[in-house]
Amino acid sequence: MTAASPADDGDEQDSAAAPGRRFEPDLRSMTRINLRPIASPMPLGFFTIAIASVMTGCLQLGIFGEEARTAVAFTVLPAFVLQLLVSFLAFGARDVIAATLMAVFAGSWLPYALIMLSGAADGLKVLGVFNLALLCFGALMTAVTGPKRALWLVLAVSLPRWAATGLAGVTGAEWLTRTSGVLGLVVALVAMYTAFALMLEDMRSEQVLPIGRSGPAHLAVEGDLAVQLRNLERQAGVRRTL
């Protein structure tokens, strides 16, 4: 007769304490997390902001006549598709801040284009309230985009434009419309610079023009692979719940 070992006694006690329960082996040593490198979509996103801002700014400044609204709407409509694509790729790259910002920018171009195309009654007033809502969103986003100085700067110049556009739509003040047009060109310049700087950095694998990253954003570019994989098991898409 063979005597039961202490380990066997423990297994029997566990089985008795939890009937029907199945104990799985520790799978951590067999777990692999695969990452898929992608090209940065941010230059496309910023160039799209720049081009759409130039078109809408020129309309607000009176460079285009009122009869050009439909044409401007058609040129702005593709910005919705492009920035939605940028947002999708940014989510895949685990950059929730950039993805959220680009998705909201995408969502701002679509109603603008549709209202301009349809000529809906009180469309400008509705867009005014919409831009004031965007202003609240942007104010919250600036609180978390500090380390990503490029995103922060584009947001910083977009905030006064959203404010001017919103108030112009609600009040109908012509000078606010003109101010919004000027601010739109400023947004375009900042976004164009940011896109160009990011593209140069990607092509040469080093920073060429200053972008001003700090904190985690700086470590993401300058740090080693161990920094990138830190706390990976707790990130969305790996952990069980969002």
Side-chain angles (χ1 to χ4, degrees), residues 101 104 132-143 145 155-156 159 162:
L101 184 63
V104 173
L132 292 177
L134 284 177
L135 176 64
C136 297
F137 158 79
L140 294 175
M141 285 293 291
T142 54
T145 55
L155 266 176
L159 290 179
W162 285 331

Side-chain angles (χ1 to χ4, degrees), residues 31 46 59 95 116 141 155 164 171 238:
T31 301
F46 286 126
L59 180 63
D95 193 335
M116 290 294 103
M141 285 293 291
L155 266 176
T171 64
V238 179

Side-chain angles (χ1 to χ4, degrees), residues 216-240:
H218 177 74
L219 289 176
V221 176
E222 302 295 336
D224 57 21
L225 184 60
V227 174
Q228 301 300 300
L229 301 182
R230 188 178 299 164
N231 296 324
L232 180 63
E233 69 276 7
R234 297 181 180 87
Q235 295 186 11
V238 179
R239 63 176 184 255
R240 179 171 298 189

Side-chain angles (χ1 to χ4, degrees), residues 138-196:
L140 294 175
M141 285 293 291
T142 54
V144 296
T145 55
K148 293 176 173 290
R149 195 63 63 183
L151 289 175
W152 182 89
L153 189 57
V154 173
L155 266 176
V157 295
S158 296
L159 290 179
R161 196 203 182 189
W162 285 331
T165 304
L167 293 175
V170 172
T171 64
E174 186 67 22
W175 70 272
L176 283 172
T177 301
R178 304 296 186 194
T179 301
S180 177
V182 172
L183 292 172
L185 298 182
V186 174
V187 171
L189 288 174
V190 174
M192 194 79 71
Y193 169 83
T194 303
F196 184 63

